[in-house]
Amino acid sequence: ILASGSRPVILPIPGMDLDGVITSDQLFQLKEMPESLVIIGGGVISVEFATVFASFGSQVTILEAMPRLVPNMDKEISQNLKMILKKRGIDIHTSAAVKQDGDRYVCHYEEKEKAMSVSAQYVLCAVGRCPNTDGLLGEGVELPMERGRIVVDENFATSMEGVYAIGDVV
């Protein structure tokens, strides 16, 4: 059974390797509650983190490149969610493309073709996760993949007899 899980996607922008720029995995290792947090990404996981940390008293800002939060969901849900989050004190910027993350606690981004920036104690990169398939199989062993994930049937069987895959890797 292949169940190797997933890892956070890291955006290819300058500054993502700084100490104050963290992934969801590192967020759970913090020993203190951040006073402020910029979240890059406006998907479901980002919104969940924003809600939790705002309720604990952190000042939270969400930067989403798409025109609305949770872009894979219904437009009405997205609009209502944005209103609810704003009422909870979460600052939200959509159509905000992060162009540079150059200084330790400052995130530079572009919104409506205007250069903007926001500072925080931490910058959370939460733009998604990708399956852990690197080095999973032996040399010369291949399984059919689709968008980086192992293809399985309705019983989680792979194309290789006796080999199954479950979880984030499929």
Side-chain angles (χ1 to χ4, degrees):
I1 295 175
L2 303 175
S4 57
S6 64
R7 64 184 180 278
V9 171
I10 305 298
L11 293 174
I13 55 177
M16 294 306 286
D17 58 344
L18 296 172
D19 289 339
V21 180
I22 58 177
T23 66
S24 55
D25 291 351
Q26 296 161 318
L27 185 67
F28 290 119
Q29 297 171 6
L30 293 179
K31 303 267 190 259
E32 72 215 18
M33 183 59 55
E35 70 178 48
S36 56
L37 180 67
V38 171
I39 301 176
I40 300 172
V44 174
I45 293 172
S46 301
V47 168
E48 288 174 348
F49 282 130
T51 302
V52 168
F53 282 88
S55 71
F56 288 150
S58 296
Q59 179 185 342
V60 178
T61 301
I62 296 176
L63 301 177
E64 168 57 45
M66 300 298 286
R68 57 190 175 91
L69 288 179
V70 290
N72 296 335
M73 291 190 173
D74 183 71
K75 187 176 181 179
E76 187 175 322
I77 290 172
S78 177
Q79 291 170 335
N80 288 336
L81 183 59
K82 186 174 183 177
M83 284 189 336
I84 291 167
L85 295 175
K86 283 189 171 217
K87 285 180 183 176
R88 293 183 182 180
I90 298 170
D91 192 19
I92 300 168
H93 301 276
T94 54
S95 298
V98 177
K99 298 294 185 184
Q100 177 189 10
D101 188 11
D103 298 328
R104 186 170 175 147
Y105 299 109
V106 178
C107 190
H108 302 277
Y109 63 99
E110 187 174 302
E111 184 175 39
K112 298 177 184 170
E113 299 180 16
K114 184 178 177 188
M116 309 283 286
S117 67
V118 61
S119 63
Q121 186 179 6
Y122 292 99
V123 175
L124 170 65
C125 182
V127 294
R129 298 185 68 86
C130 60
N132 282 328
T133 56
D134 296 342
L136 184 62
L137 304 171
E139 192 173 318
V141 178
E142 292 184 26
L143 289 173
M145 306 277 249
E146 185 175 296
R147 292 180 19 222
R149 300 181 185 282
I150 297 172
V151 175
V152 296
D153 66 14
E154 65 277 356
N155 296 313
F156 299 99
T158 68
S159 62
M160 188 179 298
E161 188 174 333
V163 177
Y164 297 82
I166 59 172
D168 289 345
V169 79
V170 301

